[in-house]
């Protein structure tokens, strides 16, 4: 799994509308929080994704973009977004190409990818990475802590 200081390769995946979403374009406006989740519309993934949604104003205040990624296809990502009113992109990675690059492909039956989050700075360097399969809503709070510390440390 990528860790602090690692350089993230630029990537492009389709969002829930089938439109291309590119990491480097999002980073042009500030840090990006990428969270991987095992499967759309499951209990834990719904709780996690809703927590990222509910804290949207706090992420925006820190200039951060949120984006979720799973191996689900575009159609399922769209259904998930419509059902829960997500205000951020959900990306489809059915071949798990990006999940492999981040080192979060799962070998267990809990899902095709591990539940993991990455806070990425505008220079494409990982500021923080964490994984917690069963602590569904801890990732957004932890990401906000990292962003606040980074903002406080900036000149």
């Amino acid at each position: 799994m990528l860790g602090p200081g690692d350089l993230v390769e630029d990537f492009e995946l389709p969002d829930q509308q089938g439109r291309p979403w590119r990491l480097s374009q999002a980073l042009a406006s500030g840090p990006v929080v990428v969270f991987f989740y095992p499967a759309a519309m499951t209990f834990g993934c719904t709780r996690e994704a809703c927590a990222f949604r509910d804290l949207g104003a706090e992420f925006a205040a820190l200039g951060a973009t949120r984006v979720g990624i799973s191996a689900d296809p575009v159609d399922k990502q769209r259904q998930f977004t419509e059902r829960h009113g997500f205000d951020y992109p959900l990306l489809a990675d059915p071949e798990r190409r990006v999940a492999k690059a981040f080192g979060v492909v799962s070998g267990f039956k809990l899902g095709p990818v591990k539940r993991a989050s990455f806070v990425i700075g505008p220079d494409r360097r990982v500021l923080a990475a964490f994984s917690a399969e069963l602590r569904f809503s801890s990732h957004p709070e932890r990401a906000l802590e990292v962003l606040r510390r980074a903002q406080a440390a900036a000149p």
Side-chain angles (χ1 to χ4, degrees):
M1 189 166 104
L2 292 178
D6 288 342
L7 183 66
V8 178
E9 292 296 320
D10 195 17
F11 66 85
E12 181 176 290
L13 288 172
D15 70 9
Q16 67 270 28
Q17 302 301 325
R19 296 177 300 231
W21 186 95
R22 182 172 279 292
L23 177 64
S24 56
Q25 290 175 336
L27 288 170
S29 61
V32 172
V33 177
V34 174
F35 70 97
F36 289 88
Y37 57 98
M41 294 193 268
T42 59
F43 174 77
C45 297
T46 298
R47 286 196 52 199
E48 178 182 26
C50 287
F52 271 104
R53 178 200 62 204
D54 296 345
L55 293 169
E58 292 181 54
F59 282 101
L62 294 164
T65 298
R66 301 154 290 150
V67 62
I69 302 176
S70 77
D72 294 303
V74 169
D75 288 344
K76 192 166 184 185
Q77 300 288 37
R78 184 174 57 251
Q79 291 170 13
F80 194 31
T81 297
E82 289 170 356
R83 182 175 291 174
H84 298 286
F86 298 132
D87 60 344
Y88 55 84
L90 295 182
L91 307 182
D93 187 20
E95 291 85 30
R96 300 185 294 171
R97 178 181 51 82
V98 174
K100 286 176 188 164
F102 275 79
V104 297
V105 172
S106 177
F108 300 102
K109 292 186 179 189
L110 288 175
V113 298
K114 297 175 187 172
R115 186 179 317 282
S117 296
F118 300 85
V119 180
I120 304 168
D123 61 355
R124 289 193 3 235
R125 296 267 175 205
V126 175
L127 299 175
F130 30 89
S131 178
E133 291 294 338
L134 300 176
R135 294 179 62 207
F136 310 120
S137 50
S138 68
H139 289 220
E141 290 289 348
R142 291 179 72 185
L144 285 168
E145 288 173 26
V146 170
L147 292 165
R148 288 181 190 118
R149 281 195 309 267
Q151 189 178 60

